[in-house]
Amino acid sequence: MAKPTALETLTEALQCLPGVGRKSAARMAFYLMQQDTSGAKALARALDDAAARLRHCESCYTLTEDVVCATCLDTSRDRSQLCVVETPADQAALERTRAFNGLYFVLMGKLSPLDGVGPREIGLKRLFDRINPESGASDEQAPVKEVILATNFTAEGEATAHVIAQALKGLPVRVTRLSRGVPVGSELEYVDVGTIAHSFIDRR
């Protein structure tokens, strides 16, 4: 079997990006190699650097270069509020609204049994340990009084929010969900800032 060419290998690698199929990946590969080789080299360096330096925050699990991210270290934030999101991109979208000044927990995914993604894969135990004062988990945070479920309004996001809400029943925390101002089926990363801000204000 012939060894794949460099162009074929690049095309295959680009298909790891969400929504990028073989044809789109091939167009990107041809563009980078034909018209922007300097950009291709800069992209390769940036990817290599990011992969080497980024890690998960030990507190909220978002991506950071430090052991604990700047948001978790910010003493001006309300530590009694914990907003649960699916991805670092969703967290960034919420931060752009300036409507929330609490802390976050990033699941790094959502429940999807068909894809083999269960509670363990998205770190629900870490989340529950952080919220439950009787878990014995080491946590210097102030007690969490409100958990805001800001998972996306997709079938998987709704299921994830439901599982979390059910698991938190009986604990001394208020559980709220973003208002339906965020369109059903949408992902926070692509929702406009004003809509997300209103959803926070009208959460229930």
Side-chain angles (χ1 to χ4, degrees), residues 183-195:
V184 174
S186 64
E187 298 187 12
L188 290 178
E189 182 179 0
Y190 305 109
V191 177
D192 68 274
V193 168
T195 297

Side-chain angles (χ1 to χ4, degrees), residues 109-143:
K110 57 200 169 190
L111 293 175
S112 181
L114 293 177
D115 298 319
V117 181
R120 182 180 305 228
E121 283 72 27
I122 63 172
L124 288 189
K125 185 179 185 304
R126 288 192 306 271
L127 171 63
F128 299 147
D129 284 346
R130 178 166 175 183
I131 295 169
N132 185 1
E134 297 180 1
S135 68
S138 176
D139 194 355
E140 297 179 359
Q141 312 281 1

